[in-house]
Amino acid sequence: VAEGEPSEGREPFELPRFWDALGQTFQVTSQEATKLSLAFSRPPLPSAEDCRKLSEDVQKAILAVATVYYWLPKGQGTTLRKMVRDATTEVVEGMIQLTDTILNSPVESLSQEQLISTGGVWEACEQVSNLPRDNQAAVVSALAACLGVVKDAVEEMEHALVDGQDPYGDIMEDEELGFRGNRDTYWSEADRQLLSSCMGLMKASKACLKKVLAAVKTHGKADSPEQIAQLDDLADIANEISPSVDELALSMYPPVNPLAVRLNAAKLASVLKKVLEIAKTSHVCPLSEEGWVQFLTGAVDHNMNKVKNFTQGQL
């Protein structure tokens, strides 16, 4: 029987009931962490029988958390499932850490480490209330996270380009770096022409994520397997934007290697074109959204062609 599919005597999967069950198991685990921590907060040590009971209750709570997670079928969305899995893993790892802390601490008084570990389990268990409730919300959350990282990378590179001729100006001189008049720490005028086109691609990345995020918020649905799968495809390819932006940004620092810059620019352009193509053919992009898809596709091509032109004679 596939995960989440009804078998004989089992009711079909329902998201609201899943969230109720997951919330209950997280709450019970939080309570068990409190009981365990209090039992070992001061002498005397719990009896062997009490220890056995505490261990059994902790084990039952963790098994219940894992069991409910496995009720969530992949058909509800791999993006949603990953977020629930990560939250579940944090709860399990938090309880393991608390148990290790108790085993390795003297029971003279409640140690700082034990307090921190107990708080860590509480915090992990409280996360369930912040988890997205369906795959549309999960993909919105994933895209927003990607956009935040790309925004930071674009701002950092903009500052470096505006702050003058020396991108390493905030690094103090030392014997290893040598005198900062070294040509390898500066951008030439030719470098800056090339980098302006690279910045165009990086800004297109930010614009692309903003537009896709807005489209998913406005038009995204998780009512059918096809819609859920399209959202996952968007999240998967969007996850490739940030690493591609980072690789391009790193290659833009002097001494500039035109071939490395061109290869990284081409990789980013390819990822952006895929994102736009997947968005265009999905349910999040009705006719009213096609204008920005065409505009951004043109912007990516325009800036990539400029990168090719600037590097043509330097390769």
Side-chain angles (χ1 to χ4, degrees):
V1 179
E3 288 173 27
E5 293 297 320
S7 61
E8 195 172 330
R10 187 188 296 178
E11 294 179 20
F13 177 84
E14 293 175 8
L15 261 178
R17 292 180 63 189
F18 166 78
W19 288 116
D20 286 345
L22 193 70
Q24 286 170 13
T25 59
F26 274 43
Q27 185 179 13
V28 169
T29 303
S30 182
Q31 291 166 351
E32 291 303 327
T34 306
K35 277 167 53 181
L36 183 66
S37 194
L38 285 173
F40 289 90
S41 61
R42 67 180 77 84
L45 281 167
S47 66
E49 178 60 26
D50 287 341
C51 284
R52 186 185 63 77
K53 180 73 168 65
L54 282 165
S55 299
E56 283 180 0
D57 288 347
V58 166
Q59 188 177 29
K60 280 179 190 171
I62 291 298
L63 283 172
V65 165
T67 300
V68 173
Y69 158 67
Y70 279 111
W71 287 353
L72 182 63
K74 291 175 184 174
Q76 289 294 326
T78 54
T79 311
L80 176 66
R81 206 165 186 268
K82 182 182 184 305
M83 290 181 180
V84 176
R85 184 185 69 209
D86 289 346
T88 303
T89 302
E90 271 198 55
V91 171
V92 175
E93 289 178 346
M95 192 63 93
I96 292 170
Q97 186 181 354
L98 173 59
T99 308
D100 282 342
T101 302
I102 289 170
L103 288 171
N104 295 316
S105 299
V107 195
E108 294 164 4
S109 63
L110 193 61
S111 69
Q112 187 67 22
E113 290 81 5
Q114 191 174 328
L115 279 170
I116 292 169
S117 296
T118 308
V121 178
W122 293 341
E123 199 175 318
C125 291
E126 284 165 9
Q127 274 192 64
V128 71
S129 60
N130 299 321
L131 287 170
R133 264 23 196 185
D134 61 20
N135 207 46
Q136 187 261 358
V139 171
V140 164
S141 175
L143 291 173
C146 291
L147 176 58
V149 176
V150 169
K151 269 183 178 175
D152 289 345
V154 171
E155 284 172 18
E156 187 179 324
M157 186 52 67
E158 279 180 326
H159 287 316
L161 285 165
V162 168
D163 283 348
Q165 291 293 101
D166 186 357
Y168 300 110
D170 59 343
I171 300 175
M172 296 180 67
E173 291 180 34
D174 65 22
E175 290 178 7
E176 286 184 24
L177 285 171
F179 179 58
R180 286 205 350 285
N182 186 326
R183 165 75 178 76
D184 285 350
T185 67
Y186 285 77
W187 282 307
S188 67
E189 193 50 44
D191 290 339
R192 284 181 174 274
Q193 286 184 322
L194 170 59
L195 299 191
S196 69
S197 304
C198 293
M199 279 306 303
L201 274 178
M202 290 175 72
K203 288 177 180 176
S205 304
K206 186 172 81 169
C208 182
L209 280 168
K210 279 179 77 171
K211 288 294 190 180
V212 171
L213 174 59
V216 172
K217 279 182 178 176
T218 305
H219 305 291
K221 289 184 171 61
D223 300 330
S224 71
E226 184 182 16
Q227 290 169 341
I228 289 169
Q230 287 174 351
L231 290 171
D232 281 332
D233 287 344
L234 266 177
D236 288 345
I237 188 64
N239 274 332
E240 294 182 30
I241 294 179
S242 174
S244 300
V245 165
D246 286 342
E247 285 176 29
L248 176 58
L250 284 171
S251 68
M252 288 163 66
Y253 279 94
V256 173
N257 178 333
L259 176 59
V261 171
R262 180 166 170 166
L263 287 173
N264 286 319
K267 182 181 175 186
L268 175 57
S270 172
V271 170
L272 293 176
K273 296 284 283 289
K274 279 185 199 169
V275 171
L276 292 166
E277 185 59 35
I278 289 171
K280 184 180 177 182
T281 56
S282 76
H283 72 281
V284 307
C285 193
L287 286 174
S288 59
E289 301 284 343
E290 285 192 357
W292 63 261
V293 174
Q294 290 173 354
F295 175 80
L296 285 173
T297 301
V300 171
D301 287 337
H302 173 72
N303 283 292
M304 191 59 224
N305 286 334
K306 283 171 72 177
V307 169
K308 287 177 183 174
N309 290 337
F310 282 129
T311 55
Q312 204 64 49
Q314 302 179 52
L315 301 181

